[in-house]
Amino acid sequence: MPRFEDFVALAFHWFSAILNTLSLAYLFTFPNGDFGWYYRFLTIWGLTLQAIYFYLCGIIDLIHLRRGAALDYHFPLGSISSRDSPFSKQRTVLERHRDRFFASIAFPLGNFVGLGFWLLIFPTVVNIIEFMPGGFWLAFHQHGITWISILLEASCIYHEYGRKRVELPIWIGFIAVYLTWNLSVSITTGKWIYPFQQMLASNVAISIAVYAGLFLLASGLYMICRLIHVKYWTWSLTSLREREYSPLQQT
């Protein structure tokens, strides 16, 4: 049977998807004739893919609720028992696609954009309004709220990771495509996209090192995200079982 928190998850998914869509639509109000439009920024790639991901989650939620089934919500917030945990549940085709999307794109990309902006880009931007139309609040949504959203998704909805040899190449391929696009835009326009690139790219050797470093960092991020997610959910199930079989729970 659906629970209250299942409807919270449904509202969260659709709210996040619609908010990301509105953020993208808002960009259309700012004319931009530069090559690549706003899609020269990885942030906008992430915003678009995260909107698609949350729409997919919302559709899956509606299907579950229509069938009267509970969602894979986080154990401490619901009445689910370890016997009915999502670890032992048969995944539907849509859920398998959702989990692969989450593991290979949505989760690592959300963390990469969030960490990259607040650690590398934001400290080097003199005027955030000139760098990004809409100013600080739009920047905060696209790099802060979206980051929080995907972290909430990871901590509240169970996702089943697949084989590394399938998911890791998808993520590496995505990063390789973007870095190639980033370099193409920079060569076409004659200027680097991000301020930190302009600061570091004083010669060709440093430029190659920057791109290689970003590629290796992004590749390692998949493994870090996978490890954190698996450890977290293993701990969640262990805590649930201990609570179910504790003497206080049985009295």
Side-chain angles (χ1 to χ4, degrees), residues 104-142:
S104 58
I105 298 293
F107 193 36
L109 180 57
N111 284 287
F112 190 64
V113 169
L115 289 169
F117 180 80
W118 296 109
L119 294 180
L120 292 177
I121 299 174
F122 186 75
T124 62
V125 175
V126 177
N127 190 337
I128 190 66
I129 297 178
E130 291 182 0
F131 180 73
M132 178 170 292
F136 175 79
W137 291 111
L138 182 62
F140 179 72
H141 167 255
Q142 294 179 347

Side-chain angles (χ1 to χ4, degrees), residues 26-93:
Y26 184 62
L27 288 177
F28 282 95
T29 63
F30 297 94
N32 189 316
D34 292 343
F35 178 76
W37 196 60
Y38 290 111
Y39 279 96
R40 63 186 186 274
F41 298 115
L42 183 62
T43 296
I44 309 305
W45 287 48
L47 195 65
T48 303
L49 290 170
Q50 191 178 103
I52 295 172
Y53 170 77
F54 279 128
Y55 277 123
L56 176 60
C57 291
I59 292 171
I60 292 174
D61 294 346
L62 289 174
I63 293 174
H64 274 287
L65 294 176
R66 188 174 182 273
R67 293 174 177 173
L71 307 181
D72 296 341
Y73 213 66
H74 184 27
F75 309 133
L77 300 180
S79 56
I80 192 171
S81 68
S82 59
R83 290 171 307 198
D84 300 321
S85 75
F87 286 95
S88 58
K89 176 187 170 185
Q90 183 71 27
R91 317 297 283 180
T92 65
V93 174

Side-chain angles (χ1 to χ4, degrees), residues 191-248:
K191 59 181 180 181
W192 295 103
I193 295 176
Y194 294 107
F196 80 91
Q197 288 180 298
Q198 299 175 10
M199 295 173 59
L200 297 176
S202 57
N203 57 52
V204 176
I206 294 180
S207 299
I208 295 174
V210 168
Y211 275 92
L214 289 173
F215 183 79
L216 292 175
L217 176 64
S219 301
L221 190 59
Y222 165 82
M223 297 303 299
I224 295 173
C225 290
R226 181 187 180 105
L227 177 64
I228 292 174
H229 189 266
V230 171
K231 291 290 186 182
Y232 169 78
W233 281 96
T234 302
W235 167 82
S236 294
L237 182 60
T238 302
S239 299
L240 175 66
R241 286 172 173 167
E242 290 176 351
R243 189 172 69 246
E244 284 183 340
Y245 296 105
S246 66
L248 292 177

